[in-house]
């Protein structure tokens, strides 16, 4: 199983190079199933187009539109493979037998009927499947959420019993921090499912969170590697109990959330329940939550939501404010979540303290804190994010002398958080 992300197939020349690599792999004696993303920037363009036509695009039609990007790349990639005299066939998610639930825009794979893929493999074809999409139990076209091609690849690898899910991307593996932000970030040889889950959940988009969950649940080995240099990358596998664990394996950051504070809420049972039930009923996903100590019988509750959910959350909170008798609601989009992740945190005291000291020494104010057994996260101002990541990376001694990736790292390393947008697939 090989998956190619948007930048890996962004140009005709890239598609031909990818075809060459697929043909090489097959010549080594492997059956090859490929999952491909839309050409870099395509999905973003389709998103913009939809919002240009309709302020709130209809969910079913929005998914129908977004899946078009992958339909283009599977056909082009197959043409290139066929030109190399190797049989190849492209399938949409639906043709590949990927069945999902009915949640448009964030559908979950519930079943895979892989017979058609298996038949084509038996006939000697390379099979190229459109990433990030499926057909729902009520027969509509669905998408799995941004970055979802990783999930398609790992789920298919599990279903087909593939040797490995190779995730080809534009960096040489999983690094100790985003190599575009920390030029001296170091590539990890291997990382456990648990660590990768926390890294993915806190903003390291090199693997989609769901793909790591599926890999852990079905024991699929993932190999994240570069489609530009083809060198070996990072293995994501089960934790190896015989190996000494790094205290911190990575520093991550996430600029996709916004913070809401509801002020002056009465400090009595049932208030938090009302607030978060209303948000859940409006389908708003809440991430970090913090409630201050009360003074004078009132308290503040702060929480984070995805930025795109902010308008909806704001509407809900205005209603809730009246219902619970709070004095105000405030929100802030210019926040970032900075996290340190590492299995060794379980057994090493003082890691969180060192994180807070490092941020203090940098003059970075911490607005919220959350922890799990192998992660500590702080919400800081967005404008402080990259500086905070670099300081933490240095404080925990994660760097290499030679520098991080061969692509990008140093040229964009000094940029600020607001210039982070890049074209994905
Ligand atoms: P693809 O289009 O191949 O799916 P993505 O853009 O989704 O690629 O993911 C790759 C990007 O993830 C890299 O270009 C890098 O900037 C970013 N990234 C963030 N954190 C990390 C990390 N810890 N290690 C490697 N890459 C990271
Ligand atoms: N093309 C989709 C996106 O840009 C899916 C993916 O690339 O994984 O989110
Ligand atoms: Mg991706």
């Amino acid at each position: 199983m090989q998956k190619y992300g948007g930048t890996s197939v962004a140009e005709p020349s890239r598609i031909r190079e990818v075809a060459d690599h697929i043909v090489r792999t097959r010549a080594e004696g492997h059956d090859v199933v490929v999952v491909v993303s839309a050409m870099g920037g395509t999905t973003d363009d389709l998103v913009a187009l939809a919002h240009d036509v309709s302020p709130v695009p209809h969910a079913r039609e929005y998914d129908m539109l977004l899946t078009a990007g992958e339909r283009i790349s599977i056909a082009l990639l197959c043409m290139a493979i066929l030109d190399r005299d190797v049989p190849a066939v492209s399938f949409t998610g639906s043709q590949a037998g990927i069945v999902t639930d009915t949640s448009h825009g964030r559908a979950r794979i519930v079943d895979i009927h892989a017979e058609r893929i298996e038949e084509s493999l038996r006939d000697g074809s390379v099979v190229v499947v459109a990433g990030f999409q499926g057909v729902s139990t009520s027969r509509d076209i669905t998408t799995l959420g941004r970055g979802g091609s990783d999930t398609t690849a790992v789920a298919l690898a599990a279903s087909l019993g593939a040797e490995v899910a190779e995730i080809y991307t534009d960096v040489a593996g999983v690094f100790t921090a985003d190599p575009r932000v920390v030029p001296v970030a170091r590539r990890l040889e291997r990382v456990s499912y648990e660590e990768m889950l926390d890294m993915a959940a806190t903003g390291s988009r090199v693997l989609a969170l769901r793909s790591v969950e599926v890999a852990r649940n079905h024991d699929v080995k993932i190999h994240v590697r570069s489609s530009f240099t083809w060198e070996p990358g990072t293995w994501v596998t089960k934790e190896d109990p015989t190996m000494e664990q790094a205290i911190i394996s990575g520093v991550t950051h996430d600029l996709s959330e916004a913070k809401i504070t509801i002020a002056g809420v009465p400090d009595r049972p049932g208030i938090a329940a009302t607030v978060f039930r209303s948000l859940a009923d409006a389908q708003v996903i809440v991430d970090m939550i913090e409630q201050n100590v009360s003074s004078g019988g009132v308290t503040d509750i702060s929480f984070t939501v995805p930025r795109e959910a902010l308008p909806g959350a704001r509407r809900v909170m205005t209603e809730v404010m009246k219902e619970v008798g709070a004095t105000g609601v405030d929100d802030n989009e210019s926040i970032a979540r900075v996290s340190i992740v590492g299995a060794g945190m379980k057994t090493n005291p003082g890691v969180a303290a060192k994180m807070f000291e490092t941020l203090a020494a940098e003059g970075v104010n911490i607005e919220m804190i959350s922890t799990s057994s192998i992660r500590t996260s702080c919400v800081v101002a967005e404008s402080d994010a990259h500086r905070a990541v670099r300081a933490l990376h240095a404080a925990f001694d994660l760097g290499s002398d030679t520098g991080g990736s061969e692509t990008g790292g140093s040229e964009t390393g000094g940029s600020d958080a607001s210039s982070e947008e890049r074209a994905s697939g």
Side-chain angles (χ1 to χ4, degrees):
M1 170 64 55
Q2 300 186 335
K3 178 259 171 177
Y4 294 91
T7 37
S8 301
V9 292
E11 308 280 339
S13 61
R14 289 293 315 155
I15 294 177
R16 288 190 296 265
E17 280 172 49
V18 164
D20 285 335
H21 188 68
I22 291 166
V23 169
R24 270 199 304 274
T25 311
R26 188 169 172 279
E28 285 163 10
H30 300 280
D31 286 340
V32 186
V33 178
V34 178
V35 169
V36 65
S37 290
M39 294 168 75
T42 304
T43 310
D44 290 339
D45 290 347
L46 294 172
V47 168
L49 186 57
H51 286 97
D52 205 355
V53 170
S54 165
V56 186
H58 187 278
R60 179 186 184 278
E61 305 312 327
Y62 189 65
D63 270 358
M64 185 63 95
L65 177 72
L66 259 49
T67 56
E70 271 71 10
R71 193 182 269 246
I72 295 171
S73 53
I74 52 171
L76 292 173
L77 183 55
C78 270
M79 290 174 195
I81 300 169
L82 288 163
D83 284 346
R84 282 151 183 76
D85 290 325
V86 168
V89 57
S90 65
F91 292 135
T92 63
S94 160
Q95 288 178 306
I98 296 171
V99 181
T100 73
D101 65 15
T102 57
S103 320
H104 283 291
R106 52 157 183 263
R108 291 170 83 95
I109 297 173
V110 294
D111 206 357
I112 296 182
H113 301 288
E115 297 81 17
R116 195 153 176 207
I117 297 179
E118 283 161 347
E119 223 169 86
S120 301
L121 286 175
R122 271 198 300 278
D123 292 347
S125 280
V126 170
V127 177
V128 179
V129 179
F132 155 74
Q133 56 177 268
V135 60
S136 77
T137 46
S138 48
R139 290 177 296 163
D140 285 317
I141 297 299
T142 49
T143 62
L144 310 181
R146 297 304 303 269
S149 299
D150 297 337
T151 312
T152 304
V154 175
L156 274 177
S159 165
L160 295 165
E163 215 173 292
V164 54
E166 292 187 323
I167 307 290
Y168 287 92
T169 184
D170 57 2
V171 287
V174 180
F175 284 71
T176 48
D178 186 339
R180 288 173 204 287
V181 175
V182 182
V184 296
R186 185 170 45 84
R187 181 175 59 79
L188 299 164
E189 284 296 317
R190 55 184 295 289
V191 58
S192 70
Y193 293 129
E194 280 64 33
E195 288 168 314
M196 197 61 230
L197 278 174
D198 272 30
M199 286 180 75
T202 56
S204 166
R205 69 204 154 93
V206 63
L207 285 176
L209 177 59
R210 280 286 297 147
S211 74
V212 188
E213 286 173 350
V214 174
R216 181 196 52 186
N217 294 346
H218 298 274
D219 229 332
V220 177
K221 287 194 204 70
I222 297 180
H223 186 187
V224 181
R225 52 191 299 192
S226 165
S227 71
F228 289 78
T229 65
W230 308 106
E231 69 198 299
T234 300
W235 288 88
V236 187
T237 57
K238 265 203 279 228
E239 200 171 285
D240 180 351
T242 61
M243 267 174 56
E244 173 106 47
Q245 280 165 350
I247 297 178
I248 299 299
S249 35
V251 182
T252 61
H253 68 287
D254 184 354
L255 306 180
S256 70
E257 295 193 338
K259 179 178 146 186
I260 300 182
T261 301
I262 172 163
V265 279
D267 193 11
R268 59 179 153 77
I271 298 291
T274 306
V275 170
F276 294 107
R277 166 50 59 198
S278 312
L279 290 164
D281 288 348
Q283 305 289 313
V284 175
I285 294 167
V286 175
D287 185 16
M288 292 168 79
I289 300 176
E290 197 163 83
Q291 178 171 341
N292 288 347
V293 272
S294 69
S295 73
V298 293
T299 182
D300 294 347
I301 299 176
S302 295
F303 54 90
T304 62
V305 299
R307 275 185 203 174
E308 67 269 14
L310 187 57
R314 220 183 254 145
R315 270 195 301 279
V316 174
M317 291 327 294
T318 311
E319 287 306 307
V320 170
M321 191 179 110
K322 291 181 212 143
E323 197 180 326
V324 302
T327 55
V329 177
D330 186 33
D331 59 67
N332 182 359
E333 276 194 277
S334 304
I335 60 152
R337 171 180 179 166
V338 175
S339 309
I340 53 175
V341 175
M345 277 169 78
K346 279 187 274 198
T347 47
N348 283 276
V351 175
K354 183 166 174 179
M355 178 182 195
F356 306 149
E357 283 159 6
T358 305
L359 295 178
E362 273 294 311
V364 172
N365 186 45
I366 301 171
E367 299 181 25
M368 293 171 87
I369 297 170
S370 85
T371 59
S372 80
S373 65
I374 66 164
R375 165 179 54 74
T376 303
S377 298
C378 296
V379 170
V380 302
E382 179 174 338
S383 54
D384 285 339
H386 287 183
R387 201 156 48 86
V389 170
R390 287 192 280 263
L392 290 167
H393 195 270
F396 286 100
D397 234 351
L398 296 174
S400 63
D401 310 329
T402 50
S405 71
E406 71 295 337
T407 53
S410 47
E411 94 211 21
T412 53
S415 66
D416 66 359
S418 57
S419 65
E420 189 148 304
E421 290 303 308
R422 253 180 70 251
S424 56

